[in-house]
Structure formats: structure tokens, C-alpha cells
Amino acid sequence: MSRAVVLGIESTAHTFGCGIVDSDGRILANVNDTYIPAKGGIHPRESAQHHSDVAPQIIKRALSEANLSIEHVDAIAVALGPGLGPCLRVGATIARALAAAYSKPLVPVNHAVAHIEIAKLTTRFRDPLVVFVSGGNTIISAYSDGRYRVFGETLDIALGNMLDTFAREAGLPHPGGPRVEELAKQGSRLLKLPYIVKGQDVSYSGLLTAALKLLSEGHRLEDLCYSLQEYAFTMLAEVAERALAYTEKKELILTGGVASNNELQRKLKIVAEEHKAKFGVIPRNLAGDNGAMIAWTGVLAYIHGVTIEVEKSYVRPRWRLDEVDIPWI
């Protein structure tokens, strides 16, 4: 197949994004707009309304940035899951409309797979163990026998969700994770919190509850942020290290929105070095949800014949990473 250009649409949670990427791995455009709630966490219907409102201008800006018309795009890729149902449906509806109106193939993309593939593209790693941490996901994965297999995950809430919830309850402004990171740098006292690792999995809900209890008791916020990060990241590093030892991979990648945290990067870099593995981190501008990662994964899928009929392109809010066939590896 000659050079292919794919337009990708991301709308799984708080971000509506449109990216355009070619089969050489060049990101021609990556335009995103994020819904920020006035208070509390993400309200799915409000986020979906935001996506509906900004979608036309985001897609136009992406095409303009890429200096292309929609006619020059070979396929339309869309994240069909996992994610929030109302948000997913907005992106899927728009992608279906574009595919039908311009007679373009529609390519289904799994959001978690996309976070992995964009990290592999930017780091040039070929066969890594992947630590994927975001607002909605905490997964340790590696490729084996046709799919990305899960070698550890959260049993309850995701790392990003835990940090954001704590920040919100502490009165910190949105987004919460980076605020916790900044305050943690000023912390000096390690407070006792539950350390919950079960086999290859972690559990963060009990850690959050305990941290909020200490918050209500008036402990210094900087020490709480420091302690919360120390426990949460060390738990993740432990299961990542066991997965690295088990899989014997020689590359370790950190990807997803929480990947920008410098302390988490430091801990996982130590894990990689102890096992003589290369360590890579997704660039900050591609760490959060974005259209480019959907477009690039769409390229990989499209050139390997993965498309879906518009009539069968249902959204899948609980579409697991390890349910997706990966024919391009």
C-alpha cells in the first residue's frame, strides 16, 4: 500500500481531539480541546455536550494544520472504547458521518491500545513492557501471541482518578494530579498509609480513603501529597518490576496522562535500570488523550486491513485492551 493518511477522532472522556497522521509516522495535525468541569469530576453528559459543541471547529483546524482537505484522507479512525458512553457516542457519530459522507473506510480503535502505540512511535521502542496510567486506566501490559496482554492492573479506581479525587477533596484546582505533584515536592514527612498490592494488581481505593481521613484530621497537605504519591507510585513500581522480570522485556515505556509525573518517571527508570532495560516516556504533549494517537493506531490498523462497517460500529465503554487483535506486530 502506498502512503496512507488517516484522520483520527478521540472523545472517550474529557477531551475531544482530531489528529491526522500518515503511514510514515508523521503527525500532520493534533488539535484537542478539553472539557473542564466547573466543580467536581467529569460529568459525562456535560462532557459529551462540550464535544458536540467544539467538534466542527476542531476537525476544521486539524485539516487546516495538515494542509489537507477531507478528500485527501484515506480513512477515518475513531476510539470506540473504553470510555464514557455519552462521550464515546459523540465521536462515533461524527466519525460515522464523515466516513459515510465522503465514502471513507471506518477504522475502530481501542483507546488503551492507542496510548501504547503512540508511545512506541515516539520512543522508537519495539517490544516494551508498558505502564499505562491515566484518569481511567492503570494497566501493565506487553505484547504476546497476537494481543497486548495484561500483566497487572488496578482492582478498583485508576491512579489518575485517585490523585484527582484527593486533590478535589483537598480544595486544589483542576487538574488535580499536577497540583498534588507540586505540593509533594514540599513534603518532608512520610505519613502511614495502606500499601495494597495483591499479586500483580494494585488497589487504590483504600489508599484514597485513608489519605482523606488524614486530611480531615488536619495533617499538613504537603506531607499528605508526598505520602500519597510515595505509596501509590511504589506500589505500581513493585508490580511493574515483577512484570519486567517475568516477561524479560528489555524496554519499559511509561504512557498515559499521569506519565508526565516526574517522580513516577524516576521510580520506573530505577526499575528499568535494575533489569538492564531501556526506559522511555511518552512526550508531555502526547501523554493525555489526543487525536494523534487515534490517527496513528488507525494507520496501523488500516494498512493491515482492519476496518468496520458503519452499521456495526457500536461504542464499547468497557472494551478491554486484551480483547483487541493486533495484526501489525
Side-chain angles (χ1 to χ4, degrees), residues 213-262:
K213 184 175 186 293
L214 292 183
L215 179 67
S216 70
E217 294 172 358
H219 286 270
R220 185 169 172 259
L221 185 55
E222 290 84 352
D223 291 337
L224 262 173
C225 290
Y226 166 66
S227 303
L228 187 64
Q229 281 199 165
E230 193 66 21
Y231 275 83
F233 296 168
T234 304
M235 287 158 55
L236 189 63
E238 179 186 330
V239 294
E241 181 170 24
R242 277 208 294 271
L244 198 58
Y246 176 75
T247 61
E248 298 183 336
K249 301 290 186 183
K250 294 305 174 186
E251 300 165 326
L252 175 64
I253 283 180
L254 177 60
T255 190
V258 188
S260 298
N261 187 292
N262 290 317

Side-chain angles (χ1 to χ4, degrees), residues 50 73 87 108 161 172 247 253-254 256 270 294 307:
H50 162 270
V73 169
C87 301
N161 185 14
L172 299 175
T247 61
I253 283 180
L254 177 60
I270 292 170
I294 306 303
T307 61

Side-chain angles (χ1 to χ4, degrees), residues 16-310:
F16 184 89
C18 180
I20 301 174
V21 180
D22 69 13
S23 50
D24 293 326
R26 292 182 295 180
I27 298 174
L28 308 177
N30 186 32
V31 183
N32 306 283
D33 196 289
T34 300
Y35 155 76
I36 298 176
K39 61 178 181 178
I42 297 175
H43 302 280
R45 296 196 185 284
E46 289 181 14
S47 187
Q49 184 59 55
H50 162 270
H51 297 351
S52 295
D53 293 341
V54 304
Q57 67 194 55
I58 295 298
I59 294 170
K60 285 178 184 176
R61 280 174 54 197
L63 288 165
S64 176
E65 193 175 292
N67 197 26
L68 291 172
S69 69
I70 192 76
E71 286 81 8
H72 293 110
V73 169
D74 294 295
I76 308 294
V78 61
L80 293 180
L84 303 173
C87 301
L88 287 166
R89 283 191 283 275
V90 173
T93 299
I94 293 168
R96 292 175 195 130
L98 289 173
Y102 294 97
S103 300
K104 305 291 183 182
L106 185 63
V107 181
V109 170
N110 178 284
H111 174 85
V113 170
H115 272 290
I116 293 175
E117 294 300 349
I118 196 70
K120 286 172 63 180
L121 173 68
T122 53
T123 59
R124 300 296 176 184
F125 286 6
R126 295 179 60 84
D127 185 28
L129 182 78
V130 180
V131 177
F132 167 36
V133 279
S134 67
N137 297 273
T138 299
I139 297 171
I140 295 168
S141 178
Y143 176 83
S144 178
D145 297 323
R147 292 186 177 184
Y148 284 112
R149 310 293 174 173
V150 174
F151 290 91
E153 59 188 320
T154 178
L155 294 171
D156 37 57
I157 59 175
L159 177 57
N161 185 14
M162 187 271 289
L163 293 171
D164 285 342
T165 302
F166 175 82
R168 192 162 61 244
E169 294 299 318
L172 299 175
H174 184 89
R179 310 287 182 174
V180 171
E181 180 181 10
E182 285 305 309
L183 287 171
K185 293 174 184 176
Q186 302 164 40
S188 57
R189 182 179 170 219
L190 185 64
L191 303 169
K192 186 171 176 56
L193 291 168
Y195 185 94
I196 308 168
V197 171
K198 299 181 178 180
Q200 269 300 102
D201 299 324
V202 295
S203 172
Y204 286 130
S205 61
L207 177 60
L208 174 62
T209 301
L212 291 175
K213 184 175 186 293
L214 292 183
L215 179 67
S216 70
E217 294 172 358
H219 286 270
R220 185 169 172 259
L221 185 55
E222 290 84 352
D223 291 337
L224 262 173
C225 290
Y226 166 66
S227 303
L228 187 64
Q229 281 199 165
E230 193 66 21
Y231 275 83
F233 296 168
T234 304
M235 287 158 55
L236 189 63
E238 179 186 330
V239 294
E241 181 170 24
R242 277 208 294 271
L244 198 58
Y246 176 75
T247 61
E248 298 183 336
K249 301 290 186 183
K250 294 305 174 186
E251 300 165 326
L252 175 64
I253 283 180
L254 177 60
T255 190
V258 188
S260 298
N261 187 292
N262 290 317
E263 179 59 20
L264 180 57
Q265 291 179 18
R266 189 186 72 82
K267 279 182 164 49
L268 289 176
K269 185 179 181 182
I270 292 170
V271 168
E273 288 173 347
E274 287 181 348
H275 289 266
K276 296 181 172 55
K278 294 179 182 177
F279 180 64
V281 182
I282 184 77
R284 187 175 291 269
N285 67 317
L286 294 170
D289 297 349
N290 64 86
M293 70 183 197
I294 306 303
W296 171 239
T297 309
V299 166
L300 296 173
Y302 172 64
I303 63 180
H304 285 84
V306 179
T307 61
I308 192 169
E309 295 174 29
V310 168

